[in-house]
Amino acid sequence: MKGFHKDTNNHATTLVQHLLSTHRRLHVLEGAESSNASAEKDGVDDLIMLLASIAVAVKSVGSAVRRRDITHGSGTESEPLERVANETWIDCLLYSQRSCILVSEDLENPVVVESNMQGKFAVVFDPLTGRSNPPCQEMGAIFGVFRQMSGGSPVIEDVMQPGRQMVAAGYALYGACTVLFLSLGSGVHGFTLDPALNEFILTHENIRIPYCGHIYSVNEGYSSLWQPEIRELISRFKTEVSLNGKERTLRYIGSMVADVHRTLLNGGIFMYFAHQQWPNGKLKLLYEASPLAFIIEQAGGKASTGLERILDITPTSVHDRIQVVIGSYEDVELVEQLYKGPSTSDPMYLLRRSHSIEEMKDSKEESNVFHKEEDGPTILCSTLPRIA
Ligand code: AFP
């Protein structure tokens, strides 16, 4: 794990300090006459207050998860963890007085906040995901924040927005330590909970996902339930050399937030295709796929259904399900090209790609610098002609 980022006074940077300083920096850059005035104007201070409340929800659910680890199966558990998590998120969002309408994976219908507690933001969230992976190692939470579009009382349209209109998104993971990764649309930053301070400390500043990877993540247990073209696509993808020259290898946790977290840090691709049990795909658009697509795109990656960009999809219901292909730019692009098939894919793509792989091999022999991890992908990026 990277060390704590220190500010100019050599102090670890907390979540709120980072959010405030980033925002101030952004406004100075925009030449705003005074950041206070502009902060007020565009409600960023309100957004920071809302994110601080989400951090409180993550801390308290994190400690409930850890307690549950200790008491697991002892019968002393009073309430199911998912109910504890859902109620905690709703309380924190309500008392932030910055939200107006809430969508939770664990509630059939959206919650409209009482007018005297209302703020400007619509929040969509999955308060506890990966829970079919007991005991709790790979559980987490996912959230997305939209601006209220309607004037007056909030309406369902305030959450039925395409992901590209989010003003913030993020996820938490309750693994060996509790981490919170988020973006306000200017890069992705990761924070780790320091149990001694009970503060989220900046540990991953401005993360960039590797341009290509060799890890692929898909539940191959469903291959018999997939459409033949999906089976064909996965077997083709597995045999296509990864641009970093490494053999492809499978990693699948079964918790999207954990699988995407690994993909963000190490590169590669996570896929969940439709199959007989889930004809439209299993994963939820609004509070699973869209927020994680926002994060991955902000880190330089790509996120699609295989055919269209996830962030351009406008939900038709709050619990819509979609297919998900998300991760390193080059890997997702390869899957999209294979998925589109010869009729609609870029006929030159695979040719260019194999050309680049040859070039890579040549440059590897030549400079034998390829083995130096950090150089690998950068060499490739310069060789792969972009699709206009
Ligand atoms: P739970 O939150 O019910 O554990 O579901 C997790 C999830 O929605 C997502 O996080 C996983 O990627 C996916 O389901 C795993 O689904 P399969 O078990 O069908 O592979």
Side-chain angles (χ1 to χ4, degrees), residues 216-220 222-223 225-227 229-235 237 252 269-283 304-307 321-326 331-332 334-336 338-340:
Y216 71 101
S217 185
V218 66
N219 188 340
E220 296 207 61
Y222 292 123
S223 53
L225 302 177
W226 283 329
Q227 294 297 322
E229 64 269 17
I230 300 293
R231 260 199 302 281
E232 162 69 16
L233 178 152
I234 299 290
S235 68
F237 179 78
Y252 189 76
I269 189 167
F270 169 81
M271 300 173 271
Y272 200 110
F273 287 101
H275 56 73
Q276 284 157 23
Q277 274 173 21
W278 306 106
N280 302 325
K282 177 185 182 184
L283 304 170
S304 82
T305 62
L307 296 171
R321 297 176 189 271
I322 59 162
Q323 290 197 145
V324 171
V325 179
I326 188 169
D331 297 44
V332 173
L334 173 59
V335 167
E336 289 176 335
L338 295 175
Y339 195 33
K340 286 178 184 153

Side-chain angles (χ1 to χ4, degrees), residues 212-216 237-249 268 330-331 334 353 356-357 360-361 370 380:
C212 59
H214 63 285
I215 297 174
Y216 71 101
F237 179 78
K238 289 196 294 190
T239 52
E240 283 287 340
V241 175
S242 60
L243 281 198
N244 62 13
K246 291 184 179 158
E247 285 309 313
R248 290 205 190 277
T249 185
E330 207 282 328
D331 297 44
L334 173 59
R353 191 169 186 279
S356 309
I357 291 169
M360 164 200 65
K361 286 199 187 107
F370 187 74
L380 295 165

